[in-house]
Amino acid sequence: MRSDGSPSAPLGLKIAAAGGLLFLHLPIFLIFIYAFTTEERSFVWPPPGLTTQWFAVTWNRPDVWQALSLSVRVAAISTLVALVLGTLCAAAVSRTRFFGRETISLLVILPIALPGIITGIALRSAFSLAEIPFSFWTIVLGHATFCVVVVYNNAVARFRRTSGSMIEASMDLGADGFQTFRHVVLPNIATALLAGGMLAFALSFDEVIVTTFTAGQQQTLPIWMLEELIRPRQRPVTNVVAMVVVLLTLLPILVAYYLTRDGDQIAGSGK
Amino acid sequence: MTLASLDSNPAPAVLPGTGGMLGALSDLFWRKPKLLLLLMLLPPVLWLGIVYVGSLFALLLQSFFSIDEFSGLINRQFTLKTYGDLLQAANLDIILRTVTMAALVTFASAIIAFPIAYYAARYARGRWKALFYLGVMLPLWSSYLVKIYAWKLILAKEGILTWLLAKLHLLWLLDGWLSLPVVGGNSLSVSSTGTFIVFVYVWLPFMILPVQAALERVPGNLVEASSDLGASPGQTFRNVLFPLALPGIVAGSIFTFSLTLGDYIIPQIIGTSRLFIGQAVYSQQGTAGNIPLAAAFTVVPIVIMGFYLWGAKRMGAFDAL
């Protein structure tokens, strides 16, 4: 019927698609307004007045800073572990065929395909069986496990696009394996690794379900927020923290998108 | 890392050594690519195998233990008693409620996701396409708790939704709905309706992406041919588009279904006191200290998802992931 290049969509479809996107975005924007409300006790709408005082109050809350610092440290170490494990796995899987290759892909995806509560309680019961006390490292253990898949997905996609002839040329010109890796392979996969690392960081920074099982008494930022949602102490502070968290997670996602936009997609379809 | 060497059969070693320790190591990997492969795979497989699969087995093992009702201690003897406890009416009720919710959430997500995915796949080009993609990715990746919190603000009694309905003179509709059994409650933020809305909101992007991927593979001329042959848009949708998009919908439903089965935070924050599987697991292992029953509870979503994945694979949904 239509073969003239760019057909336009029926009006009903346009409205439904736009409505769906609005449904996805409006609730998040609402947080930004609530961060400025003068109302302390309830969620009353519209806000009776606007103020910036809650930013100062939040700034002076040591518990928020502690939670933020723990979250950043956990996310940094987990990302580092995930980068090493994910890249090794991707390099092995993308370049060769070997027995058990499918099993390894499944193994990497499983921690994210099964509901978080299963990963959480499995780790917790394993810690209790092995009598490992909760610490910074038990949180990292859980986070790194499900962050591997993000790095792996990004790295695998890039390895597939990197042509083998470049590596062969490097070897023909006399470079050894390590030189080839440093000067040819690494520059090629660097942006994919950076994107994967950013996403892994965002994933760890936001994770709450697995963390509730592996954290003991320590509070990451999401655990702090969960506490506030169940037993609110000072609602306006929660509003401000929520807004800052949105802005902080947005940044790595946008960077990851720009790093991988030509060619391979951002590997996120399995959060 | 001699990646290239893994592709080709190693030539007989006629080349001179490259010298130095690293050079010698590099030569060794060249001659024995399997060794390099093993060394590359060892760290990730050991980590995932010990930390993750090991824990899963430890969990499974504990579901066959039982708890002594009088002492509250765990009896480490193999028994199926805990699985018997799972079949008590109260526990079956929890399982049934969770599965029903997961099915409803999946169905609603598919309906809302389809127009977005269809528009993005067929009509959006260039800048718009990127905008649509980011428009789905940003909510997908933004903080899970913040999203739930935003809905607490919206659904609360004094929140934006009540205000909006009051402006539209539709409060009677809300009050009527809230007075209904099962779906109603004191306010939307403590009702099953609220739980349902938030579940749909939080998992929706997981449905959009695979459906869009499936629709992008439908050639445009197929739709044109259908209308050339005289089919109405409705007929084209039923007989051409929908069957071809179905693997994508099934792929998306794996996420929406599985995530709803396991979640315990949404029904805890926005919902009634009637428990979901995740909450039962959490309270059994925490306050009740009954790890065997908690473990047996987690086996339920694993088994359900096992069957689900098996069925999805038969429908070709894995190609759409």
Side-chain angles (χ1 to χ4, degrees), chain A residues 1-2 23-25 27 30 34 42-43 45 95-96 107 117 124-125 145 167 177 206 212 222 229 239 257 269, chain B residues 1 4 6-7 22 26 47 53 62 130 135 143-145 149-150 153-154 158 201 224 228 255 262 264 278 285:
Chain A
M1 189 174 69
R2 290 197 196 95
F23 171 65
L24 279 176
H25 287 267
L30 200 65
Y34 269 99
S42 71
F43 299 133
W45 180 270
R95 287 280 162 173
T96 43
L107 193 64
I117 193 162
R124 190 188 188 109
S125 61
T145 303
I167 294 160
D206 186 38
T212 51
L229 277 173
N239 294 337
Y257 171 73
S269 46
Chain B
M1 210 182 289
L6 301 174
D7 273 345
L22 281 182
S26 168
W47 180 288
V53 179
Q62 299 206 41
S143 170
Y144 163 81
L145 276 174
Y149 184 57
L153 301 175
I154 295 170
E158 69 278 17
Y201 175 79
E224 286 165 20
D228 282 352
F255 293 110
Y264 72 94
Q285 66 87 31

Side-chain angles (χ1 to χ4, degrees), chain B residues 14-15 33 44-45 53 63 69 134 215 220 232 247-248 276 299 304 313:
Chain B
V14 287
L15 293 167
V45 168
V53 179
S63 72
E69 268 121 28
L134 278 178
L215 284 172
S232 69
F276 280 68
V299 172
I304 295 176
K313 199 178 167 87

Side-chain angles (χ1 to χ4, degrees), chain B residues 181-264:
Chain B
V182 185
V183 295
N186 254 338
S187 80
L188 276 177
S189 65
V190 287
S191 68
S192 304
T193 313
T195 320
F196 168 78
I197 296 174
V198 180
F199 268 134
V200 171
Y201 175 79
V202 174
W203 309 142
L204 182 60
F206 292 94
M207 179 64 91
I208 298 176
L209 293 173
V211 176
Q212 185 185 339
L215 284 172
E216 252 157 23
R217 272 179 243 160
V218 179
N221 55 18
L222 227 60
V223 179
E224 286 165 20
S226 166
S227 52
D228 282 352
L229 291 167
S232 69
Q235 284 172 318
T236 304
F237 176 79
R238 269 197 309 279
N239 299 318
V240 180
L241 268 180
F242 185 72
L244 289 170
L246 198 59
I249 296 175
V250 175
S253 76
I254 293 172
F255 293 110
T256 56
F257 200 82
S258 157
L259 290 167
T260 311
L261 280 187
D263 196 276
Y264 72 94

Side-chain angles (χ1 to χ4, degrees), chain B residues 92-138:
Chain B
L92 273 184
D93 204 35
I94 292 173
I95 295 170
L96 194 68
R97 178 179 308 119
T98 313
V99 172
T100 312
M101 178 62 87
L104 288 175
V105 166
T106 300
F107 189 67
S109 306
I111 291 177
I112 303 177
F114 199 89
I116 306 176
Y118 188 58
Y119 191 93
R122 291 258 305 153
Y123 296 103
R125 293 282 170 271
R127 265 178 179 284
W128 278 102
K129 187 130 190 153
L131 203 70
F132 257 86
Y133 186 68
L134 278 178
V136 177
M137 285 315 270
L138 290 179

